[in-house]
Amino acid sequence: MRTLRFLLRKEYRQIARDRMMLAQILVLPVIQLLLLANAATFEVTRARLYAVDLDHTVTSRALIDRLVSSGRFARAGSSGSMALADAAMLDRRADVIARIPRDFERDLLRVDAAPVQLILDAKDGAAAAVTRSYASTIITGYAAELGAARPGRQAFALGAPAPAAPRVEVRSRAWYNPGLDYQDYMVPGILVELITIAGTLLTAVNITREKEIGTLDQLNVTPVTRAQFIAGKLIPLWSIALVEFGVGLAVAAVVFHVPMRGSVALVVGVAAIYLVAALGIGLWVSTIAGTQQQAMFITFFLMLIYLLMSGLFTPLRSMPDWAQWIAHLNPVMYFVRIMRDVLMKGAGPSDIAPDVGILALYGALVFTLAVRQYAKRSA
Amino acid sequence: MTRGRADARAPNLDEPVVVRDVVKRFGDTVALDGVSMAVRRAEIFGFIGPDGAGKTTLFRILTTLLVPDAGEARVLGMDVVRDLWQIRPRLGYMPGRFSLYPDLSVIENLTFFASVFGTTVDAARDVIAPIYSQIERFHDRRAAALSGGMKQKLALCCALVHRPDVLFLDEPTTGVDAVSRREFWELLGQLKASGLTIVVSTPYMDEAGRCDRVALVQRGRILELDAPGVIGSRYRHPLVAVRGGDRQRVLTALREFPHAVSAFPFGETIHYADARSGSDPAAIARELDVWLAQRGLDGARAEAAQAGIEDVFMDLMETPRPQAAA
């Protein structure tokens, strides 16, 4: 234990002295969070709307006006012809077609429900989904107002897809994030990515550096054991990554107003478990890399998988089976999910227990593997 | 350090380092090709050989950093593979490359290495004092900002701070200026006088004379092993040193002499070896004077010389040897 204390003292001293590293740990992630949270947006402003109004009534025109005046849509044209609308979309002049059928007003008044068809250019699937949700929200709101304007009637909804039987209505409500505020779910995810990358990279590079400058050999001829050495390395990096996580969480709350519905202490606790896995991966990288440069290349390779197979930018369900399998090996995926569950849904310990269990198991596994690999290398 | 207890585990302390038939391969490269030797207590034992001879590999095996493929190595009577945890606290190792923390100061490095050995700088004061006193005024300076000679002294302090029984120095003087080199060897002499066993490697043959015994190593094999003087006396050719004249022309002229075995620059002189074993070197020197004068090289003077270890090494290197691979 005494030896470990000396190792820790030395490590903290070196970290405190390394300005580049301090910046890398405390400043860069905050900048990245500020930048990425604004750049990684799914928000669609001014989707080009082509209106095919076959009803030509006050109600139908008002609906189109309502869509355009929301600021989410820009008028790309209107006509009574679906063929023209089709052509507009093919020419990339329109992103969305709203088709209001004949007798829209009449149906609405008579049977309390009427279909509106939305046709979306889904080349960019994420954008299309967002556009659709905007349109649904606006149309639903409009219908609700019409209902409220007439006493004695309940609000009624209308929406896509059409043609639908009059009584089949889409009532979408975005739970936990009613405004579909992308920052609420992107910021926690990006924060997870950042501490993962920082944790893995710092660990991999730091240990490889000892190898590169020969101090690892120098330590290996001392009575310092492998366990002491690894603990002496990982405890400081782990605590730093945890501080970084806390700073990021504060930025998320203060700057981006990310809701903190669940317990903040809970996510910090999970982060503490999660970082063991992230740092374990870094440790493993350091056992196979001979130089800091190699360590960085391997980490960059892992980083892309971390990022793109985590369900952060693309939903897991839309991946092919094999990719979903890989995503399930990605610790980032679990922690992103936990973060969203706790912060947005207010999930408690029992709700996230299975995912936390997987993370703990993951950490133990990666760690064992890395330590064994390390032992083999230094034999 | 409790030497008494450790000695009980080390029945053969007259030879603190024993190597038997050690083989180490890296892929297709044979770094050590069956090395056997022993180091006596409180001597300075030198491994002399060119880069790539296998010196560092042997040091890494002896310091428990590498496991030999075959053979056995014992340090302080303990097996380097099995007893590594008993050996480590008792050996000091200074790798060829400066391997301390560049971002820590002199005293921080020293304190750190003392602490991981479970001791303090003060407890080692008497051992390291002669060396540390030379760098003490830089105690606050980062190790990265030290000169080559200072770094080397700091590394030596760090290797000694836990009062080891055997000290392994892998090419300690490579890249160090001549004055620092001399100082360094003087320090080693003092350490040896205090009873420390020192194993050192060097590519510089002029440093061989500083060792009590040396092993000449080449291609993973020990070619000769003995006191430097004894090895020199085994030289089988009459040897002549030639001084002065146009060096390059003299060298060419000597190599053209009918009985020449070899001629190579040796410090300020040229060492000439003659094929007629048993002949009087002084007589050969006179022949050479005539030979050189005939070629207009009047400035050159030849005289009988005593063979040194470098002559032996050059001879061994030039003699074609049956290769193990053949």
Side-chain angles (χ1 to χ4, degrees):
Chain A
M1 275 305 102
R2 263 170 60 86
T3 305
L4 179 59
R5 211 174 67 223
F6 291 123
L7 288 169
L8 289 176
R9 186 185 299 167
K10 169 224 139 210
E11 205 62 39
Y12 278 115
R13 183 174 277 158
Q14 286 183 302
I15 290 167
R17 218 163 261 183
D18 190 342
R19 264 156 227 252
M20 267 310 287
M21 191 168 171
L22 279 181
Q24 212 179 323
I25 295 162
L26 296 173
V27 184
L28 288 188
V30 173
I31 295 174
Q32 278 174 311
L33 190 60
L34 292 173
L35 279 177
L36 290 177
N38 282 304
T41 172
F42 287 141
E43 202 157 23
V44 180
T45 48
R46 305 189 76 73
R48 290 161 305 174
L49 175 78
Y50 194 102
V52 179
D53 186 355
L54 302 174
D55 196 38
H56 293 294
T57 57
V58 177
T59 315
S60 68
R61 272 193 293 274
L63 177 60
I64 291 163
D65 286 344
R66 176 65 69 94
L67 284 169
V68 173
S69 64
S70 71
R72 301 289 195 193
F73 296 94
R75 210 185 281 271
S78 57
S79 73
S81 157
M82 269 311 285
L84 284 173
D86 241 17
M89 188 172 273
L90 267 177
D91 284 356
R92 290 194 222 111
R93 280 182 285 115
D95 303 311
V96 53
I97 300 169
R99 180 175 170 275
I100 304 176
R102 211 177 302 268
D103 302 332
F104 170 75
E105 190 185 59
R106 196 198 64 200
D107 286 354
L108 203 55
L109 294 172
R110 195 192 293 160
V111 296
D112 297 354
V116 172
Q117 186 179 24
L118 288 177
I119 297 164
L120 295 140
D121 178 357
K123 257 201 320 286
D124 182 349
V130 173
T131 309
R132 179 181 154 239
S133 93
Y134 288 156
S136 300
T137 311
I138 294 165
I139 295 169
T140 312
Y142 176 67
E145 271 173 42
L146 280 184
R150 275 169 289 140
R153 295 204 173 181
Q154 290 300 308
F156 41 79
L158 18 65
R167 276 290 157 197
V168 178
E169 300 150 4
V170 174
R171 288 171 188 257
S172 353
R173 272 188 59 202
W175 279 25
Y176 313 117
N177 187 1
L180 279 176
D181 187 344
Y182 75 94
Q183 283 181 341
D184 285 2
Y185 60 88
M186 287 310 289
V187 170
I190 292 171
L191 178 57
V192 171
E193 298 284 2
L194 289 179
I195 63 155
T196 311
I197 292 164
T200 307
L201 191 64
L202 283 178
T203 309
V205 168
N206 188 303
I207 297 179
T208 320
R209 192 177 105 96
E210 294 247 4
K211 217 189 260 185
E212 212 175 281
I213 63 176
T215 45
L216 188 59
D217 273 354
Q218 196 78 68
L219 278 178
N220 275 341
V221 294
T222 71
V224 171
T225 62
R226 256 169 233 129
Q228 284 169 337
F229 173 75
I230 290 171
K233 278 287 168 197
L234 293 195
I235 291 172
L237 297 170
W238 174 84
S239 63
I240 285 165
L242 209 54
V243 168
E244 184 183 322
F245 179 73
V247 171
L249 217 51
V251 170
V254 174
V255 180
F256 296 107
H257 307 294
V258 171
M260 304 274 162
R261 294 203 180 86
S263 157
V264 173
L266 181 63
V267 286
V268 173
V270 177
I273 295 170
Y274 168 75
L275 281 171
V276 174
L279 267 58
I281 294 172
L283 180 66
W284 176 77
V285 170
S286 77
T287 62
I288 55 174
T291 63
Q292 294 183 69
Q293 202 176 33
Q294 284 172 11
M296 266 188 250
F297 277 125
I298 300 169
T299 310
F300 284 145
F301 167 77
L302 292 174
M303 199 151 84
L304 283 176
I305 295 173
Y306 274 165
L307 277 170
L308 297 179
M309 297 193 118
S310 63
L312 178 59
F313 295 109
T314 45
L316 288 185
R317 280 186 306 278
S318 56
M319 296 178 190
D321 283 348
W322 61 267
Q324 289 196 31
W325 268 102
I326 296 177
H328 278 87
L329 292 175
N330 185 355
V332 177
M333 193 276 281
Y334 296 98
F335 194 34
V336 167
R337 193 154 78 184
I338 292 170
M339 283 280 277
R340 287 176 174 172
D341 281 357
V342 175
L343 295 182
M344 294 168 70
K345 291 193 206 170
S350 56
D351 303 314
I352 58 168
D355 277 359
V356 175
I358 290 172
L359 282 183
L361 200 68
Y362 199 101
L365 216 67
V366 169
F367 217 81
T368 314
L369 203 74
V371 172
R372 286 187 57 176
Q373 182 79 12
Y374 178 74
K376 226 163 66 186
R377 295 287 302 198
S378 65
Chain B
M1 289 290 109
T2 47
R3 283 164 195 244
R5 188 194 56 196
D7 284 353
R9 285 190 52 89
N12 199 15
L13 255 191
D14 282 343
E15 290 186 337
V17 179
V18 179
V19 177
R20 238 173 261 136
D21 303 321
V22 163
V23 175
K24 182 73 192 178
R25 292 183 198 87
F26 297 105
D28 289 338
T29 314
V30 182
L32 293 175
D33 190 7
V35 169
S36 298
M37 46 79 64
V39 177
R40 292 176 193 149
R41 184 166 43 171
E43 75 170 342
I44 299 181
F45 188 95
F47 284 95
I48 319 284
D51 292 342
K55 304 189 296 285
T56 298
T57 303
L58 183 59
F59 271 59
R60 289 175 64 81
I61 287 172
L62 291 174
T63 53
T64 74
L65 292 172
L66 269 183
V67 175
D69 293 334
E72 178 193 41
R74 301 181 83 79
V75 172
L76 299 165
M78 297 175 278
D79 186 88
V80 291
V81 180
R82 214 182 48 237
D83 306 320
L84 77 163
W85 292 110
Q86 284 79 45
I87 293 178
R88 283 181 179 180
R90 301 187 53 200
L91 65 83
Y93 174 45
M94 193 175 136
R97 209 159 42 113
F98 179 72
S99 303
L100 303 175
Y101 292 99
D103 48 348
L104 294 183
S105 71
V106 167
I107 189 68
E108 283 167 351
N109 265 297
L110 197 52
T111 308
F112 173 71
F113 281 101
S115 66
V116 294
F117 277 106
T119 180
T120 62
V121 177
D122 279 336
R125 197 57 85 166
D126 58 313
V127 179
I128 59 169
I131 312 148
Y132 189 59
S133 61
Q134 299 179 30
I135 52 172
E136 196 157 18
R137 67 203 149 106
F138 302 117
H139 72 279
D140 251 349
R141 191 180 286 192
R142 303 265 165 96
L146 293 176
S147 69
M150 294 290 171
K151 276 182 181 165
Q152 175 211 42
K153 280 167 191 158
L154 173 58
L156 184 58
C157 282
C158 289
L160 285 170
V161 76
H162 57 293
R163 299 172 163 275
D165 296 314
V166 195
L167 185 61
F168 291 92
L169 307 167
D170 192 6
E171 301 201 1
T173 53
T174 299
V176 174
D177 67 85
V179 176
S180 295
R181 270 170 67 183
R182 190 176 313 134
E183 282 175 10
F184 192 77
W185 278 99
E186 274 157 22
L187 285 172
L188 293 190
Q190 290 175 32
L191 290 170
K192 175 199 152 187
S194 74
L196 187 65
T197 305
I198 299 171
V199 185
V200 61
S201 76
T202 177
Y204 304 124
M205 270 167 283
D206 57 320
E207 290 182 342
R210 300 278 197 162
C211 303
D212 295 304
R213 292 190 308 147
V214 296
L216 302 187
V217 204
Q218 198 198 3
R219 293 201 198 97
R221 289 180 169 200
I222 292 179
L223 307 179
E224 289 279 345
L225 192 159
D226 218 317
V230 176
I231 291 182
S233 71
R234 282 205 202 120
Y235 194 65
R236 52 206 170 113
H237 303 292
L239 194 73
V240 176
V242 182
R243 213 175 282 280
D246 179 332
R247 249 172 113 79
Q248 200 50 54
R249 286 183 59 206
V250 171
L251 205 55
T252 311
L254 288 173
R255 282 176 181 156
E256 283 166 359
F257 190 70
H259 304 286
V261 171
S262 72
F264 62 88
F266 188 93
E268 288 175 353
T269 69
I270 292 169
H271 272 192
Y272 163 85
D274 197 277
R276 294 164 291 178
S277 298
S279 302
D280 176 19
I284 295 171
R286 283 191 295 277
E287 283 179 41
L288 286 177
D289 275 339
V290 175
W291 173 264
L292 292 169
Q294 281 170 357
R295 276 156 186 76
L297 295 161
D298 297 322
R301 279 282 160 275
E303 57 186 32
Q306 193 66 47
I309 196 153
E310 191 166 356
D311 300 296
V312 176
F313 199 81
M314 293 304 278
D315 187 41
L316 289 170
M317 299 253 283
E318 282 182 7
T319 310
R321 305 182 68 79
Q323 285 301 300

